[in-house]
Amino acid sequence: MFQQDLNPVGGSLALSALCAAIPLVTLFVLLGGLRLKAWVAGLISLGVALVIAVLLFKMPVGQALLAGTEGAAFGFFPILWIVINAIWVYNLTVASGHFDVLRRSFEKVSPDQRIQAIIIAFCFGALLEALAGFGTPVAISVVMLMALGFQPLKAATVALIANTAPVAFGALATPIVTLASVTSGVNDDPRLNIDTLGGMVGRQTPILAVLVPLVLVFVVDGKRGVRQMWLPAIVCGVAFGFAQFVAANYISVPLADIIAALVAAGAVVGLLRVWKPAHELTAAEVDAETEAAEGGTDGSGAGSTRRQPSGISTSVTSSTGRAGTATARDTATSDSSADVIRAYAPYAVIIAIFSITNIPAVKEFLAEKPFTFAFAWPGLEVLNTAGEPVSTTMFNFNWLPAAGTLMIFAGLITMVILKLSPAKAFKTYLETYVELKSAIITVMAVLALAYVMNLSGQTGSLGAWLAGAGAAFAIISPILGWIGVAVTGSDTSANALFGALQVQTAVEAGLDPVLMASANTSGGVLGKMVSPQNLAIAAAAVGLAGREGDIFRKVIGWSLGLLVLMCVIVGLQATPVLSWMVPGS
């Protein structure tokens, strides 16, 4: 049995909070400063958190280790269980060749690069974020853009900026699932659940979504792009934002990005049937303009990597270590209607399965035993400062209705539709685990770190100290999320690290805990484009490895500018001006 104490170091809250910050500082320095591999940094930081918990916060060794094991278990189930199985479904489309069919179908929508940036980087990237997350959308979108003729630096910039608004609901809302888990354990507010937190995030990120397509067309073609393409950009942004809001608040939090991506893509395609731009910016025109202005380079400086000519394949490696081949533009290839339907089928299957399981009667049925049951983590007994049991020690094992399990069903159906043999599908499944081995260790280590900090009282000490900022914390809140994602590369990890801290600080400062917890997620999405991991993924995919700094300079201004906007939104939502947007406020 262990009872938390927020002032264990010399009876001083400030000193205790300073000590509690050591594991986080260690993680940030190892990742951002020394640039160690994420899994190594995670394990070292976990060790530091255990030492601080035992020596300074007086947590028994056994209890500290058990807290870490529960966090690691939660990192695998349900978080990695979602990611692994979602990426497996994607890998099935690659193994069958239908991913190339999907790429070619996008190319036929419009030869205009500004439209392609909207549909591929934003809409399709959002769909990939919804299914897999963790850098996969950037890696795949970059390859597709390059295959369609985008120059390397521009392809990387577009893909990174596009990977913003969808991130909060990525990997079937894994960041929000994590946020609900870590926050509900430190506060008894009944609104700290997946549905309410997802609904609140769905009242913040859609505002960003309206602007991002406009940013993309500006990056692709400057002021001319905005002047000529403002209509499809606005249509896409508004459709995505509205659909994300409706889905997150009234349909299904895990399906929010899937629905929003499909609605946005459908809106753009529908618009193009009745509207055409006065001028189409094709890859050939961009090449001619670039050669005239830069003397044959791609505009990113000496030594730039030119776009591969048609017929040449470019090898790329995704965020999961997955190697793939993106064949350059092949406009001569003609796909049958059956192949196109099969290429889109996996996403339709996923939507159908999740829609069925979110029917209230079905959802309630699957939430009962034997499909779902909760149990106290063996041997872990922690009381909060008031002497009450901490709910985080209860582990919810929803083995059947878990998003990851549903993705397995989707994968099995996909296997049949794409005509893959069981042996090939099983081999692909095993390969997915091998490819994700580093990510698996990283996520489990970071979640173990978060649980040790939360249960030992380290997070509570930090929150109580930060509460001294009072109402001004509402503006700081999104910045914490931005820092967390910028360093870890993951909104899920940032929520695990700072979710409980946001809630505890909100309570101490007299702010709404749901709003502050959600702000961590919404602010975090804007750190994704500048995280070292995502920059490395984008650079490697376009053949600019070692030039991450060039890409960083292209995106940092947009990241900070949109972060300021999010800080303003959250600040206003914490006041009577926009407080009506907070559920149950």
Side-chain angles (χ1 to χ4, degrees), residues 10-76:
S12 167
L13 177 61
L15 187 56
S16 298
L18 182 63
C19 293
I22 293 176
L24 295 178
V25 173
T26 301
L27 180 63
F28 293 167
V29 170
L30 293 179
L31 275 176
L34 301 181
R35 298 192 177 185
L36 292 184
K37 292 182 178 179
W39 69 269
V40 175
L43 289 175
I44 293 175
S45 300
L46 170 60
V48 173
L50 287 169
V51 171
I52 297 295
V54 173
L55 297 185
L56 299 182
F57 281 75
K58 311 304 179 185
M59 191 177 199
V61 175
Q63 293 292 295
L65 292 175
L66 286 171
T69 59
E70 186 189 8
F74 180 77
F76 186 84

Side-chain angles (χ1 to χ4, degrees), residues 458-552:
Q458 295 176 58
T459 303
S461 290
L462 274 170
W465 180 71
L466 285 173
F473 183 74
I475 299 175
I476 300 173
S477 181
I479 299 175
L480 281 179
W482 184 90
I483 292 172
V485 176
V487 173
T488 67
S490 164
D491 207 21
T492 296
S493 296
N495 282 344
L497 290 173
F498 292 138
L501 173 63
Q502 295 272 15
V503 167
Q504 291 177 320
T505 304
V507 173
E508 293 288 338
L511 298 167
D512 192 295
V514 170
L515 175 59
M516 294 302 99
S518 301
N520 193 78
T521 299
S522 299
V525 306
L526 301 169
K528 191 84 168 178
M529 68 178 86
V530 297
S531 69
Q533 293 91 320
N534 255 22
L535 289 170
I537 290 167
V542 298
L544 296 178
R547 295 184 55 193
E548 291 83 0
D550 293 339
I551 303 174
F552 175 81

